[in-house]
Amino acid sequence: MAGMNHTEELGEFLRARRAQLTPEAAGVTSYGARRVPGLRREELAQLAGVSATYYTRLEQSQSTNASESVIDSIGRALNLNDDEKVHLHDLARPAKAKRRAPGKPDQATPGTIRLLNAMTNVPTVIMGRRNEVLAWNPLGHLLVAGHTDLDAPSRPFDRPNLTRMLFLDPHTKDLYRNWRDEASLAVASLRFIAAQHQDDAELTQLIGELTLKSPDFAAMWTKHPVQQCVSGVKRFHHPEVGDFDLSFEVLHLPGASGHRMMTHVAEPGSTDAAALELLSATNETPVARHVPSRI
């Protein structure tokens, strides 16, 4: 993938969602046999209050000037959820690409690192916008990637990437009892992020790499799922302490960096909490080993 064409992405998203919307769900009277699933273009256009010709141009990536009101109407006609509506706007009216000057490798801020080190009993990972690991505390490292080098996040060109590991690293695949659900959420989240950063060459390269190397990723990506990942439950099958579940929260850090903090907690007094305590007992390192890069 040399780059992501937002008009092609828009057409792909519209076609995928139109195919998922049945005439019954849309309140459309169906006439005759249908060669493909979902609504016809002219039916969707009628629901959105736009001409069939104009809507067809959008799907065929021949129009880039849709108004806010038209985008909103199409989103309502497609019965999109809130995340999907944001995604549709990002694709239809992308932010103007900015020429990026070469800069220093991305780093978690000193304040974030201090907070990370203070959360000794909460497995925590600091991620960049592409899901690369900028830092983790020892318990976070043991939870999600204990088979890797604790110091890896301090090396900008050798950092673990949680999405890459989920699809290409066998140890990470085995870490989750419901791997396919984890993978589907990761793809949906990456779709949401990619539409907001369409000029990010490294993100485009990551998507291209995963599409080529992982048939699972390629199949999931083609379906164009969209979801902003903010909270949920992760069901672990951990090599050190066995099966347990943890709730996770993804906190977006201030600024325009796209940095996020993912924390994991267990229900107090539960067997999950006991498993987390057992995992914590294997940790002998008092603070996160994260040092600024000299590159």
Side-chain angles (χ1 to χ4, degrees):
M1 293 177 64
M4 294 179 64
N5 185 310
H6 75 270
T7 55
E8 293 178 1
E9 290 286 309
L10 172 61
E12 178 184 324
F13 180 62
L14 291 173
R15 288 190 294 273
R17 288 299 176 273
R18 180 169 59 82
Q20 295 174 9
L21 187 60
T22 65
E24 294 76 16
V28 172
T29 302
S30 181
Y31 297 100
R34 292 176 180 265
R35 292 178 297 174
V36 294
L39 292 183
R40 299 184 176 100
R41 283 180 181 147
E42 58 270 21
E43 293 170 336
L44 196 287
Q46 184 176 9
L47 288 173
V50 300
S51 72
T53 300
Y54 182 75
Y55 178 77
T56 299
R57 287 176 58 82
L58 283 177
E59 271 203 9
Q60 294 179 344
S61 307
Q62 297 175 357
S63 178
T64 60
N65 61 351
S67 67
E68 294 281 342
S69 60
V70 166
I71 298 168
D72 288 338
S73 296
I74 292 174
R76 286 192 296 270
L78 289 170
N79 289 339
L80 301 184
N81 62 34
D82 290 343
D83 287 346
E84 291 169 336
K85 289 177 182 176
V86 172
H87 184 70
L88 177 60
H89 276 270
D90 287 337
L91 292 178
R93 302 180 67 84
K96 187 176 181 179
K98 298 178 181 178
R99 188 179 298 275
R100 298 177 181 271
K104 296 180 179 179
D106 204 4
Q107 300 287 349
T109 66
T112 302
I113 295 298
R114 287 193 293 270
L115 177 60
L116 181 69
N117 287 330
M119 301 170 69
T120 56
N121 295 320
V122 179
T124 304
V125 180
I126 306 299
M127 303 175 294
R129 72 162 65 138
R130 309 171 196 94
N131 290 338
E132 70 276 25
V133 178
L134 302 180
W136 46 26
N137 60 11
L139 194 53
H141 167 251
L142 285 175
L143 178 66
V144 303
H147 63 290
T148 66
D149 182 6
L150 176 64
D151 293 329
S154 68
R155 302 190 294 269
F157 301 106
D158 189 31
R159 282 174 172 155
N161 181 288
L162 297 184
T163 304
R164 180 185 287 114
M165 292 171 65
L166 189 61
F167 284 94
L168 302 182
D169 176 41
H171 295 284
T172 304
K173 280 192 172 185
D174 291 340
L175 183 63
Y176 299 98
R177 305 200 306 277
N178 58 338
W179 176 84
R180 188 158 293 277
D181 291 341
E182 281 289 322
S184 296
L185 179 58
V187 172
S189 176
L190 195 63
R191 273 286 190 188
F192 188 88
I193 294 170
Q196 296 180 326
H197 303 284
Q198 296 177 39
D199 61 337
D200 189 323
E202 292 181 54
L203 183 57
T204 299
Q205 290 169 5
L206 173 65
I207 294 167
E209 176 191 357
L210 292 175
T211 300
L212 291 173
K213 294 182 179 180
S214 171
D216 286 318
F217 179 90
M220 293 177 185
W221 186 259
T222 300
K223 295 179 180 178
H224 213 126
V226 179
Q227 184 175 346
Q228 188 174 21
C229 180
V230 293
S231 63
V233 176
K234 293 188 180 292
R235 307 188 186 283
F236 292 97
H237 176 65
H238 201 277
E240 299 291 336
V241 295
D243 294 352
F244 64 104
D245 299 344
L246 297 178
S247 298
F248 74 91
E249 297 285 340
V250 178
L251 310 176
H252 290 255
L253 300 175
S257 64
H259 292 185
R260 289 158 292 149
M261 174 182 288
M262 181 165 61
T263 63
H264 305 78
V265 296
E267 184 69 26
S270 65
T271 56
D272 300 319
L276 187 56
E277 289 179 11
L278 182 60
L279 181 65
S280 181
T282 68
N283 170 38
E284 299 177 355
T285 307
V287 296
R289 295 177 184 172
H290 176 90
V291 296
S293 170
R294 294 185 175 85
I295 296 176

